[in-house]
């Protein structure tokens, strides 16, 4: 069936699609961002809002992205364009794809900077720099590093180069090798770290911080942050999963894979929280609301006091870096696939161009932590905060909203039924209600609530 393959390649099996999508979903969002924003937003109640968003909004939107991608078999922009034509819909729907390209570009620019920190920490731990370190030692070490723009730029460059290298080789060839063994090893190390936290940390307090529901601690901004993060952590709202969906074999069940990926991603995030917060509470000088440095101060403290900690800690940051690469690749895929389709361009050339542009924009985030620390783009937001805000809290949820509306209301039902392998039964009803009402209304409520409460404040 020449009609049912993508010109960019195909996953060699259902399992490889799950691994690739999980590789995209599991990344800095789980290991770095989830713990630090949970810490800043007071814990439990924030986590509950995040979990509700994953279940009610994330899963339907993920199914929609895979389904649309597989029905179109092209880059998100051209997939939506083709499906809109088939449905006789408005010509502006492909805007979803364009917004996604912009979001991916913005996200990769700062993502690469943070991933660069992780690469540097491989060497820091391996050198034994943190042997016997305490909270304030780890804090100082982190701040001193961030104060050096050239050093941070060096690691940012290394990360962009690695991403470009893999992307240039093609998603399938470059990625399948990486995810096959990475995911399981990451999992094992994370469990080890949770074990450490359970023995040496204040596990009870860490656990209750993560899971006890105290609505008073949740700010208005926290609700939007939680929803935005649900999109970010599952790689939704910008077409990354839609692009990967274009390479999915026809016989794969979309519902089962979407739920599997969402569960895996959530388990990794919660495990990261269970590893980090007990250490935070047991270590003088550390606190949950530390901000973006949280991962980079708690993990060295934990490994710094263990026998073989330097080696195991270095391995941990190797895995963080790999998890970041497998996500970064997916951030570029919508743009790459589009440029290859439109201009018949060669992947390596396109990859280098996009990498260079993201690298340049990323310098703004590098400087946000030193030279430009007092430069505010809007309100209190530094350049890094601003790029993070626009992509994560506006573009991804808005993209997700439009994807849900498109899949629920514009796409011909016959295509959806065929893709999902569903007939009229209850599963079809649940899907229809989820994608037509629950997911879009959920996004709109959070947006409206945030705007209303901020205007009142
Ligand atoms: N999901 C990735 C993470 O949690 O680190 C980040 C990400 C990848 C976001 C791809 C968006 C995306 F399209």
């Amino acid at each position: 069936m020449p009609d049912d393959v993508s010109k960019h390649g195909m996953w060699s099996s259902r399992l490889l699609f799950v691994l690739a999508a999980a590789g995209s979903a599991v990344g800095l969002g789980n290991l770095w961002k989830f713990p630090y924003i949970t810490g800043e937003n007071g814990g439990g109640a924030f986590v509950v809002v995040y979990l509700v968003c994953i279940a009610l909004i994330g899963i339907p939107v993920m199914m929609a992205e895979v389904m649309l991608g597989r029905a179109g078999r092209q880059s998100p922009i051209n997939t939506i364009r083709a499906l809109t034509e088939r449905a006789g819909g408005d010509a502006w729907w492909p805007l979803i794809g364009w917004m996604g390209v912009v979001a991916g570009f913005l996200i990769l620019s700062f993502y690469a900077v943070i991933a660069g920190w992780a690469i540097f920490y491989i060497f820091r731990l391996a050198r034994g720099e943190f042997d016997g370190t305490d909270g304030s030692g780890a804090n100082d070490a982190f701040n001193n590093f961030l104060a050096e723009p050239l050093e941070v730029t060096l690691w940012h460059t290394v990360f962009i180069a690695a991403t470009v290298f893999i992307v240039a080789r093609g998603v399938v060839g470059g990625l399948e090798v990486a995810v096959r063994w990475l995911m399981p090893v990451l999992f094992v190390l994370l469990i080890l770290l949770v074990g450490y936290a359970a023995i040496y940390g204040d596990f009870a307090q860490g656990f209750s911080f993560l899971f006890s529901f105290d609505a008073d601690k949740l700010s208005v901004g926290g609700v939007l942050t939680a929803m935005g993060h649900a999109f970010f952590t599952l790689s939704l709202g910008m077409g990354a999963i839609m692009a990967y969906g274009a390479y999915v074999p026809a016989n794969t069940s979309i519902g089962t894979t979407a739920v599997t990926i969402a569960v895996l991603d959530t388990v990794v995030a919660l495990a990261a929280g269970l590893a980090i917060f007990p250490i935070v509470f047991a270590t003088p000088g550390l606190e949950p609301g530390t901000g973006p440095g949280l991962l980079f101060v708690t993990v060295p403290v934990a490994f710094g006091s263990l026998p073989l900690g330097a080696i195991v800690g270095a391995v941990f940051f190797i895995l963080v870096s790999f998890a970041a690469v497998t996500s970064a690749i997916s951030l570029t895929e919508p743009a790459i696939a589009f440029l290859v389709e439109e201009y018949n361009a060669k992947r390596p050339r396109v990859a280098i161009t996009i990498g260079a542009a993201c690298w340049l924009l990323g310098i703004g985030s590098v400087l946000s932590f030193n030279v430009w620390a007092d430069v505010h783009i809007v309100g209190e937001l530094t350049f890094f905060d601003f790029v993070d805000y626009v992509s994560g809290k506006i573009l991804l949820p808005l993209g997700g909203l439009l994807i849900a509306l498109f899949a629920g209301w514009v796409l011909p039902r016959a295509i959806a039924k065929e893709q999902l392998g569903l007939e009229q039964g209850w599963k079809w009803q649940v899907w229809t209600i989820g994608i037509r009402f629950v997911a879009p209304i959920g996004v709109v409520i959070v947006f409206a609530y945030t705007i209303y409460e901020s205007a009142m404040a």
Side-chain angles (χ1 to χ4, degrees):
M1 269 202 305
D3 202 12
D4 210 26
V5 294
S6 140
K7 72 183 264 189
H8 306 286
M10 296 287 286
W11 304 117
S12 35
S13 68
R14 179 193 114 99
L15 175 68
L16 272 156
F17 166 63
V18 172
L19 285 176
S24 165
V26 175
L28 296 176
N30 310 61
L31 305 166
W32 161 73
K33 198 169 188 187
F34 172 74
Y36 105 73
I37 59 178
T38 300
E40 285 185 336
N41 286 285
F46 175 87
V47 175
V48 170
V49 178
Y50 156 80
L51 292 175
V52 169
C53 290
I54 296 273
L56 297 185
I57 304 175
I59 290 179
V61 172
M62 179 168 301
M63 290 175 65
E65 286 208 27
V66 180
M67 169 181 106
L68 294 172
R70 193 169 67 178
R73 293 262 186 244
Q74 298 175 70
S75 66
I77 296 177
N78 283 329
T79 281
I80 304 266
R81 190 180 282 159
L83 294 174
T84 304
E85 273 163 24
R86 256 154 88 182
D90 271 14
W92 59 265
W93 283 109
L95 198 67
I96 296 175
W98 289 102
M99 269 174 42
V101 167
V102 174
F105 185 76
L106 295 179
I107 295 173
L108 183 56
S109 80
F110 74 81
Y111 205 83
V113 174
I114 313 294
W117 300 355
I119 301 179
F120 176 58
Y121 267 65
I122 300 172
F123 298 100
R124 273 199 135 167
L125 274 125
R127 281 200 300 253
E129 247 186 74
F130 293 106
D131 289 352
T133 201
D134 57 5
S136 70
N139 264 321
D140 290 347
F142 181 67
N143 292 330
N144 293 341
F145 163 56
L146 282 200
E148 300 292 338
L150 278 181
E151 172 112 41
V152 180
T153 303
L154 169 74
W155 299 108
H156 164 55
T157 311
V158 169
F159 184 80
I160 290 271
T163 306
V164 166
F165 179 77
I166 301 181
V167 169
R169 302 182 49 139
V171 176
V172 176
L175 198 75
E176 291 200 351
V177 192
V179 286
R180 236 194 188 129
W181 56 271
L182 166 81
M183 301 297 295
V185 184
L186 178 68
F187 221 73
V188 171
L189 265 201
L190 210 52
I191 291 171
L192 265 178
L193 201 56
V194 175
Y196 172 85
I199 298 169
Y200 298 102
D202 186 342
F203 200 75
Q205 201 178 342
F207 191 89
S208 105
F209 180 78
L210 265 182
F211 295 114
S212 60
F213 185 85
D214 179 357
D216 290 345
K217 284 201 189 144
L218 189 62
S219 65
V220 177
V223 177
L224 179 61
T225 306
M227 178 180 75
H229 188 63
F231 281 102
F232 185 88
T233 192
L234 293 178
S235 304
L236 297 175
M238 56 151 281
I241 296 295
M242 201 185 302
Y244 277 15
Y247 319 144
V248 172
N251 60 0
T252 303
S253 155
I254 292 180
T256 320
T257 42
V259 173
T260 310
I261 295 160
V263 168
L264 255 170
D265 186 79
T266 307
V267 170
V268 172
L270 294 177
L274 281 179
I276 287 178
F277 288 112
I279 301 170
V280 169
F281 289 116
T283 312
L286 297 187
E287 39 134 349
T290 298
L294 189 65
L295 176 75
F296 297 90
V297 293
T298 44
V299 172
V301 167
F303 286 120
S305 60
L306 281 183
L308 292 181
I311 290 305
V312 185
V315 173
F316 178 78
F317 277 105
I318 290 177
L319 288 168
V320 173
S321 309
F322 269 107
V325 172
T326 57
S327 301
I329 304 171
S330 71
L331 283 163
T332 67
E333 192 58 22
I336 304 243
F338 177 72
L339 291 172
V340 169
E341 284 160 13
E342 289 299 291
Y343 304 105
N344 229 341
K346 293 270 169 287
R347 272 188 85 96
R349 182 173 293 181
V350 181
I352 291 174
T353 313
I354 292 182
C358 287
W359 179 85
L360 196 63
L361 193 66
I363 300 298
S365 288
V366 170
L367 298 178
S368 299
F369 295 94
N370 38 65
V371 184
W372 288 357
D374 296 317
V375 177
H376 300 299
I377 310 286
V378 184
E380 295 279 282
L381 305 181
T382 62
F383 184 89
F384 160 76
D385 298 329
F386 180 73
V387 176
D388 177 33
Y389 193 102
V390 172
S391 55
K393 291 186 196 163
I394 300 176
L395 292 175
L396 296 187
L398 194 61
L401 170 65
L402 295 175
I403 288 168
L405 292 176
F406 183 80
W409 297 93
V410 178
L411 187 78
R413 283 169 176 232
I415 299 185
K417 285 193 171 150
E418 183 198 325
Q419 285 298 332
L420 299 174
L422 293 179
E423 288 306 323
Q424 213 56 43
W426 67 271
K427 285 188 179 169
W428 171 257
Q429 298 297 340
V430 172
W431 155 256
T432 309
I433 294 171
I435 201 68
R436 287 195 151 186
F437 301 103
V438 180
I441 292 175
V443 177
V444 170
I445 289 178
V446 175
F447 271 146
Y449 170 75
T450 311
I451 295 169
Y452 175 78
E453 290 286 336
S454 323
M456 292 290 114

